Amino acid sequence: MCAFEPQRVRPSFPALQRKTDGLPVAYFDGPAGSQVPRQVIAAVTDYLARHNANRGASFASSRTTDQLLDAAHAAVGDLLGTNDPGEVVFGANMTTLTFALSRSLARTWQPGDEVLLSRLDHDANVTPWVLAAQEAGATVRWIDVRLSDCTLDLDSFARQLSPRTRLVAVGYASNATGTINPVARIAAQARAVGALNFVDAVHFAPHGLIDVRAIGCDFLACSAYKFFGPHVGVLWGRRELLESLTPYKLRPAPETLPGRWMTGTQNHEGIVGTAAAVEYLAEIGRIDGGATGSRRQQLQAAFEVITAYERELVRPLLEYLSQRPDFRVWGVTEPSRLSERVPTVSVTHASLTPRQLAEHLEARGLWTWTGNHYALPFTEAASLEPHGTLRIGLLHYNTPEEVARLIAALEEIGR
């Protein structure tokens, strides 16, 4: 494995050249949406300028649109670990796709069935299932969170899993605390009782390699705008399930995959940009990871170097915060457990609100996020409402120098 150097990729991101009041902006808001490299911007622009058309016609731009979109399904398939492009569904966003799937699954449920959800999740992996269960008369049960380190209570999960369970929905990584959940273990246990498993991989996707076959899940969703692409949602499902479930669709829409799950005219330029985002990551695998094989192998090499780099990037921040009794880090903090988290750090302060902390940092060109981050089940369980946390989200384009600036700004709060 080769070393990753962020200065190589940073010129590709126009946003990273931004300044505020003469200070360079350090983007620590990645969990809310990553910045976008030039090759993605160029792909979106080129599509709109030269190929904009609807699908299925005989003229040139429509044929090119078909080719570009088919290629995008294959590219995202490589990102997720499937060689079946028909299993890759695009949509407006992860939330909309999850609502659509939840309505279809609810038609297979009945009173007495149970749905098992996590209190560590983004609400997009909670409320769609709660509403679907209500409509079907099914019961919702909850996997508790250990607040000491913000990990799932797997004993709680095992106690509630039963032959009545129809669906287990969990996140791959928490967008509030950075915790990486043992999704393969959870999927295996769900499968053992005959339950389906849905994984929300939105927050994990920019940080680690996804392999739907290795996880053993039945469905997985993510969002391109979190992994350096446009605002497009992605749903993967096992072919046999996507073919057997009844989607809410128009009569003229195709019955074949993936079209039967892609309602209406799609965001063509966004989908083309999503393919370019996958290619951007593959390029990291070629240049920084030294990979020469298939695109999937290049993506694997990319995430090997990205993951290693991000763990070292977040280490000094966690070490600093652990020495500050006026701050609390919500999540795994031990250096020996960095493999159990992504570099998303949520903190609260003994006397200042998250908003006050964010305003202090913003004045120094350090852009962070505050609130519940739509992870309302967690902030409610942790009694963090109404202010939530200050969330500091690192991505591979962030630098050690930016982290040092952040630590210096937090040190000012101490003084």
Side-chain angles (χ1 to χ4, degrees):
M1 182 178 68
C2 303
F4 176 75
E5 175 49 63
Q7 296 301 341
R8 188 190 68 75
V9 301
R10 283 177 64 85
S12 297
F13 291 83
L16 302 187
Q17 314 309 314
R18 182 168 183 163
K19 292 187 177 182
T20 177
D21 296 328
L23 294 170
V25 172
Y27 289 86
F28 293 119
D29 65 335
S34 63
Q35 297 307 310
V36 180
R38 294 184 190 278
Q39 45 267 67
V40 172
I41 298 169
V44 172
T45 302
D46 181 70
Y47 176 79
L48 289 173
R50 300 176 59 234
H51 310 297
N52 191 28
N54 218 322
R55 302 197 67 170
S58 60
F59 54 83
S61 59
S62 181
R63 295 198 306 271
T64 300
T65 292
D66 287 337
Q67 294 166 0
L68 289 171
L69 299 188
D70 289 346
H73 284 272
V76 175
D78 287 342
L79 181 70
L80 301 183
T82 177
N83 57 9
D84 183 350
E87 293 181 331
V88 175
V89 175
F90 292 110
N93 47 59
M94 176 271 183
T95 301
T96 301
L97 288 167
T98 305
F99 268 117
L101 179 64
S102 72
R103 288 194 294 270
S104 294
L105 281 176
R107 299 172 74 171
T108 70
W109 301 341
Q110 59 188 2
D113 289 343
E114 295 180 354
V115 177
L116 193 47
L117 308 177
S118 154
R119 297 194 190 276
L120 192 57
D121 270 62
H122 189 289
D123 203 56
N125 198 27
V126 172
T127 292
W129 307 117
V130 170
L131 295 176
Q134 289 174 352
E135 292 179 3
T139 300
V140 175
R141 299 196 177 278
W142 296 92
I143 307 170
D144 292 327
V145 179
R146 293 191 176 96
L147 294 179
S148 58
D149 61 0
C150 300
T151 58
L152 288 182
D153 184 342
L154 296 180
D155 292 333
S156 165
F157 167 60
R159 284 195 305 271
Q160 297 182 87
L161 192 64
S162 79
R164 295 185 299 276
T165 307
R166 294 293 169 262
L167 177 77
V168 178
V170 296
Y172 205 146
S174 167
N175 77 309
T177 68
T179 306
I180 297 175
N181 295 319
V183 289
R185 174 180 172 183
I186 290 170
Q189 290 180 256
R191 188 166 56 252
V193 300
L196 298 176
N197 174 239
F198 179 96
V199 174
D200 171 6
V202 171
H203 192 58
F204 184 79
H207 301 291
L209 185 72
I210 296 171
D211 189 333
V212 292
R213 303 301 182 191
I215 294 170
C217 56
D218 297 292
F219 304 98
L220 180 143
C222 58
S223 295
Y225 75 100
K226 301 297 178 74
F227 59 83
F228 320 105
H231 289 86
V232 173
V234 176
L235 171 69
W236 169 86
R238 292 185 184 277
R239 171 172 282 274
E240 58 268 29
L241 292 170
L242 294 179
E243 288 180 334
S244 62
L245 288 169
T246 303
Y248 284 70
K249 61 184 276 300
L250 302 182
R251 289 175 296 168
E255 276 296 329
T256 55
L257 293 181
R260 73 193 305 260
W261 288 91
M262 294 176 59
T263 55
T265 299
Q266 292 289 311
N267 177 2
H268 295 171
E269 63 273 22
I271 295 171
V272 170
T274 299
V278 174
E279 284 297 332
Y280 162 75
L281 290 166
E283 182 182 85
I284 291 177
R286 293 191 297 271
I287 297 177
D288 301 281
T292 58
S294 68
R295 182 165 53 196
R296 177 65 180 178
Q297 291 170 323
Q298 293 167 16
L299 291 166
Q300 181 177 3
F303 281 110
E304 286 177 358
V305 296
I306 286 172
T307 299
Y309 172 76
E310 288 182 344
R311 284 180 186 167
E312 293 310 307
L313 187 67
V314 77
R315 187 186 299 274
L317 176 61
L318 291 173
E319 289 177 350
Y320 171 76
L321 290 168
S322 69
Q323 300 166 14
R324 289 286 300 272
D326 50 338
F327 280 99
R328 173 170 179 176
V329 175
W330 294 85
V332 172
T333 58
E334 297 93 324
S336 62
R337 297 177 63 193
L338 290 184
S339 62
E340 299 176 39
R341 60 144 49 246
V342 297
T344 299
V345 182
S346 267
V347 299
T348 50
H349 189 266
S351 58
L352 299 176
T353 67
R355 185 73 179 188
Q356 289 171 321
L357 294 172
E359 289 172 351
H360 171 83
L361 297 174
E362 181 187 1
R364 288 147 183 81
L366 308 166
W367 291 4
T368 58
W369 210 268
T370 66
N372 58 36
H373 321 298
Y374 277 66
L376 188 60
F378 167 72
T379 54
E380 289 176 334
S383 300
L384 289 169
E385 290 298 314
H387 299 296
T389 69
L390 173 78
R391 184 178 65 183
I392 303 163
L394 281 60
L395 286 167
H396 69 265
Y397 53 58
N398 291 118
T399 68
E401 292 76 17
E402 289 177 330
V403 174
R405 283 176 58 198
L406 175 66
I407 291 172
L410 295 173
E411 183 69 14
E412 291 175 359
I413 293 172
R415 291 198 299 268

